Amino acid sequence: MRSSPNSAAFSLDEFAKALDKHDYHAEKGQTVHGKVCQHANEGVYVDFGGKSPGFVPVQELGLRPHAEIEESFPLDSAWDFLVTSEQNDEGQVRLSRRQLQIQQSWENLAELEESGKTLEMVVSGTNKGGVVGDVEGLRGFIPRSHLMHKDNMEALVGQVLKAHILEANQDNNKLVLTQRRIQQAESMGKIAAGNIYEGKVAKIQPYGVFVEIEGVTGLLHVSQVSGTRVDSLNTLFTFGQAISVYVQEIDEYKNRISLSTRILETYPGELVEKFDEMMADAPNRLPLVQSKQNLSDKQEQLEKN
């Protein structure tokens, strides 16, 4: 059948333009999916539907070096890549697995920071300030003051440390971690509500006294110091002073420990009048506390009835 006089064959230029309309143009910062189509000493070529295969330099294949590229990225294996350059004159773009993984790592860290969950860092070295290591392919740092075991940092090299995020700044490529929360959680496991412990005064505030017990700090609120009014806590307590306190409540969710010396008194105001004598006898007063609590429970039950 002959073609109509009005129909003309495509010229080569028109054919090229038609193909261009169906070309896939990848833009910098875009994620593409493609298959490895060729290996080279300097990297791999990836077919992702563009005008030309994308090129992935060997140093951009992943967060960690790949000894055998052919084994790690066999022909026809499919991967996601991040476009890291605009198209050149031949329509080719540069791609990266490493940059995509870094991006995903920062996203994971943002979720961990928001949830407060722990993460792991493989310690690779030390410096004057602390230890450095690998966290999901990123460089993490734990200051010495935030380490659980800080006396011999060299011994930590090669170990996997659990920590929380102290600061995560992708723009500055800064990742600082801390083990203080883990250490505090372990220390909190050493004490239990309903017991009497000896501690040291760590800080004095108008509203109460902070007491360090077994590596954690609890609050002795001014209302729980004595059964009588205390005008100034500084008249009773000094920094570093050893005192015995009763642990009323441990709130692990809020990371709070509530303390009391008032409940240890045999009469209101005993702590104010006979501080040293009462402190010396405080460890023996648990039966007194339990008796007070039983009486309080009975009164509460009567009020309900």
Side-chain angles (χ1 to χ4, degrees), residues 57-297:
V58 64
Q59 66 269 22
E60 294 297 323
L61 286 173
L63 292 170
R64 298 171 183 86
H66 292 274
E68 298 294 336
I69 298 178
E70 292 83 357
E71 292 182 8
S72 301
F73 293 87
L75 293 177
D76 291 329
S77 60
W79 308 85
D80 286 331
F81 298 91
L82 185 70
V83 180
T84 59
S85 74
E86 301 294 344
Q87 292 184 0
N88 61 19
D89 294 338
E90 297 177 354
Q92 188 182 80
V93 296
R94 286 198 169 226
L95 306 175
S96 174
R97 278 283 295 165
R98 187 178 74 89
Q99 292 296 328
L100 184 62
Q101 290 172 327
I102 287 175
Q103 198 174 80
Q104 291 172 341
S105 292
W106 281 112
E107 291 174 1
N108 293 340
L109 291 176
E111 292 179 6
L112 288 172
E113 184 177 22
E114 185 176 349
S115 65
K117 293 181 179 179
T118 60
L119 51 75
E120 293 183 344
M121 183 181 89
V122 181
V123 180
S124 59
T126 67
N127 56 38
K128 291 182 180 179
V131 297
V132 295
D134 181 278
V135 182
E136 294 197 24
L138 304 176
R139 183 181 185 274
F141 172 68
I142 305 179
R144 182 169 188 162
S145 59
H146 286 260
L147 286 168
M148 292 177 63
H149 306 288
K150 60 191 77 173
D151 296 333
N152 185 3
M153 294 194 299
E154 291 293 339
L156 299 176
V157 176
Q159 292 191 26
V160 178
L161 302 183
K162 289 187 176 182
H164 289 90
I165 295 174
L166 190 64
E167 180 183 357
N169 191 321
Q170 184 177 358
D171 294 334
N172 297 332
N173 197 31
K174 187 176 182 181
L175 177 60
V176 184
L177 310 176
T178 178
Q179 288 193 302
R180 282 185 176 176
R181 292 184 215 168
I182 295 174
Q183 187 174 26
Q184 190 160 19
E186 289 186 1
S187 296
M188 287 181 74
K190 297 179 182 178
I191 62 176
N195 289 324
I196 298 171
Y197 296 90
E198 183 175 295
K200 288 186 177 181
V201 174
K203 193 175 184 180
I204 304 172
Q205 295 289 340
Y207 54 85
V209 178
F210 289 93
V211 183
E212 184 178 325
I213 310 167
E214 297 290 345
V216 293
T217 302
L219 175 63
L220 174 59
H221 194 270
V222 63
S223 63
Q224 288 298 323
V225 172
S226 176
T228 191
R229 179 182 174 84
V230 179
D231 293 324
S232 175
L233 294 174
N234 289 290
T235 61
L236 290 174
F237 304 99
T238 58
F239 177 78
Q241 177 184 26
I243 64 170
S244 291
V245 292
Y246 175 76
V247 178
Q248 284 188 309
E249 182 183 8
I250 298 176
D251 190 330
E252 294 184 5
Y253 181 75
K254 294 183 178 180
N255 204 24
R256 293 178 184 173
I257 301 174
S258 301
L259 309 175
S260 176
T261 49
R262 174 179 179 171
I263 201 169
L264 300 176
E265 293 182 323
T266 56
Y267 62 89
E270 181 184 8
L271 184 72
V272 177
E273 295 177 9
K274 303 177 181 179
F275 187 93
D276 292 338
E277 293 178 23
M278 180 179 157
M279 284 292 105
D281 187 53
N284 304 316
R285 298 195 175 190
L286 193 56
L288 171 66
V289 174
Q290 292 171 340
S291 176
K292 286 183 178 181
Q293 288 179 327
N294 289 336
L295 181 60
S296 177
D297 291 341

